[in-house]
Each structure stands twice: as structure tokens, then as C-alpha cells.
Amino acid sequence: MSEGDLAVMKPETMKSYIWLQTADGSIQQVEQEVAMFCPMICQEVIQKGVGSSKNHAISLPQRVNPAMFSLILDYCRFHQLPGRSNKERKTYDERFIRMDTKRLCELTSAADSLQLKPLVDLTSRALARIIEGKTPEEIREIFHLPDDLTEEEKLEPLKNTMDDPRIRLLNRLYAKKRKELKERERLKNVEVEEHVDERSVDDLLSFINGRDPKVVKMSKGKKKKKKKKDQKIVSSNDIHDKESHDLYSKQQCVEETGSSMREVPNLPSAEDDISTPKAGSEDEDIDDEIDPAMRELLDR
């Protein structure tokens, strides 16, 4: 092979490099066609003319650490080569994003800093599939996010500068939720205001002393009923005693009358009066012997 052929082949076989400095301060060389696949690096080379030497290395954004930058370079090396089919690119992308959620988030942030939109879209779709169908609590747990927002702050309307219909619908749902939340708070306050302690002083004292007001009320009611019952029994007993006393008095009177009549001497019968007339002196003697009270009783 002649020297001319070597001279012709030399420019084709020679590769140019760009010097890049990551966030930790380390500097490395990267193939120019690979590094230029990132729009941010391409702008730095074209506009500022940096990256041609180690002393003029391009400083990468803070979010681009060495581990994430290595992944990005692998992605660029595969996709910058012409002749790849869509099936090959899709298969490579599916394998490329098989990583944990933390690394996927870091890779998305680093790709966004380098303005590498295809990789940002790829990782964002992967994250969307991870959080699809998850509740806010589950999403916070996946990404280790603190829950420091109140209910009202969570329902604040979102900014819709691009007039996205999805954001409009979400804001309407948020407005409905805020209205329901305010209504629940209002009903809760009304219930608290209407809840007034209607117990009497005796009930409160019984509660303080450790007694059940209901039991106290029942015992009081039983006492009142018992007192009324006792009063009725006493009144009925009084009536019965009075009736017994009257009956006893009547019996006593009858007995006294009977005994008085037994004490009266035998009087002559009507036949004796007819058959045996008596002298006036004897009649007078009999009349004198009868007690005046007994005479009055006999006359009756």
C-alpha cells in the first residue's frame, strides 16, 4: 500500500474527541459524533468552541453524574449509528430501561439536562407505566416523597398555560372535591354547635360521682311510685280501721243494750194481767223499782 493511499485513508480512520467534565470533576474524552448527539453538548461546541482540549473541557450540568453519563453515552452510541431498524431500536430501548425506579428518575433528570429529548420521552413513558393506576399514597411511597400537603393544597387548581383539556377536566374535579370538603366541614361545625348538654344538675353531679344518671332517675321514679303506693295503702287501712271502729261501736252498743235488758226483772205477761188483777199499790211499787233510763228504753 503506497503512502498516498495511507494519506487518503488517514482522515477517514482518524477519530476526533471532545473533552467533557462531569459533576464530580472528572474529565474524559468522548467521540465527537457520540457527544454531538446531545443537543446541549453540540451547542457548546458550535457556539463557544470549547471541548477541544482537556484545559477547555465542557462542564456538564450538576445532575449529570458519571454513572448516568455512562448510560447516556451507551444510548447515544447505539442510536447515532445509521442503518438501525425501528425494531432494533425498540428492542434496545426496552432492555435499556430495565432498571429500578431511583436510577430511572436520575436518568430522566440527566437526559433532560443534556436536552436529549428521545431519551427523556423513553424514561418518562417507563415512569408513567410504573405509577399507572396507583393512588397518591402509593406514588409517594414509590418515589419516597413526603406528604406535607393539606387537603386544600392537594386540590389547588393546576396551571393550564397550553389549554390542555385534560388539565381542565382535572381542575373541574378538584373544584368539586373542594366543594365537598367545605360542605363536610360546615356540617361538622353545625353538629358541634347543636350538640348541647341537656342534662340537669342532678344528672351531672351523679355523673361526676360515678353514678349513672339513668339509674338515678329510675330509682327516683321507683321511690315516688312506692311512696304513692304506701300512701294508698295507708289511706285504705285508715278507712278500714274507721269502718271496723264504727262496726265495733255498733256491736258494743247492741251488747250493752242486750245486757241491760237481761238485767230488767221479769215482767208479768198480758194473761197474768187479765186473769190476776193487782192492787194499785203493787203497780206503784214496780214502777218505782224500774230505772228511769230503762223505762224510757221500754217505752221506745
Side-chain angles (χ1 to χ4, degrees), residues 208-220:
I208 293 171
N209 294 329
R211 291 181 293 173
D212 191 355
K214 294 181 179 180
V215 176
V216 174
K217 287 183 178 179
M218 291 176 64
S219 61
K220 288 183 177 179

Side-chain angles (χ1 to χ4, degrees), residues 138-149:
E138 293 173 341
I139 294 173
R140 281 193 295 270
E141 185 177 354
I142 291 172
F143 296 102
H144 305 286
L145 301 174
D147 186 12
D148 55 353
L149 297 177

Side-chain angles (χ1 to χ4, degrees), residues 159-174:
K159 293 182 180 180
N160 192 10
T161 56
M162 303 298 294
D163 196 21
D164 192 338
R166 293 173 298 179
I167 297 179
R168 288 204 306 269
L169 177 60
L170 188 61
N171 285 336
R172 285 201 293 269
L173 292 175
Y174 281 174

Side-chain angles (χ1 to χ4, degrees), residues 12 24 65 75 77-78 108 113 153 182 188 206 251:
E12 295 177 358
D24 63 344
N65 57 53
Y75 178 86
R77 286 191 182 98
F78 181 85
T108 305
S113 299
E153 291 174 342
K182 290 181 180 179
K188 186 176 179 181
S206 300
Q251 291 177 353

Side-chain angles (χ1 to χ4, degrees), residues 9-10 39 45 48 54-56 60 69 85 95 107-108 111 122 164 190 202-203 213 220 230 232 240 249 251 288 297:
M9 294 178 62
K10 189 175 181 180
V45 171
K48 299 181 180 180
K54 187 175 183 180
N55 295 330
H56 297 87
L60 299 178
F69 187 56
S85 65
R95 291 198 307 267
L107 181 59
T108 305
L122 178 64
D164 192 338
V190 170
D202 295 337
D203 294 342
K220 288 183 177 179
D230 293 341
K232 290 181 179 179
H240 181 69
S249 300
Q251 291 177 353
D288 293 335
L297 182 60

Side-chain angles (χ1 to χ4, degrees), residues 173-186:
L173 292 175
Y174 281 174
K176 184 178 179 181
K177 289 288 185 181
R178 288 196 301 271
K179 186 176 179 181
E180 293 176 355
L181 185 62
K182 290 181 180 179
E183 184 65 18
R184 286 200 300 269
E185 290 292 334
R186 188 185 67 80

Side-chain angles (χ1 to χ4, degrees), residues 1 21 44-45 63 73 93 116 185 192 235-236 248 275 280:
M1 187 176 291
Q21 182 178 3
E44 291 289 321
V45 171
R63 291 181 290 179
L73 291 178
D93 290 347
L116 190 55
E185 290 292 334
V192 171
S235 60
S236 61
Y248 177 77
S275 59

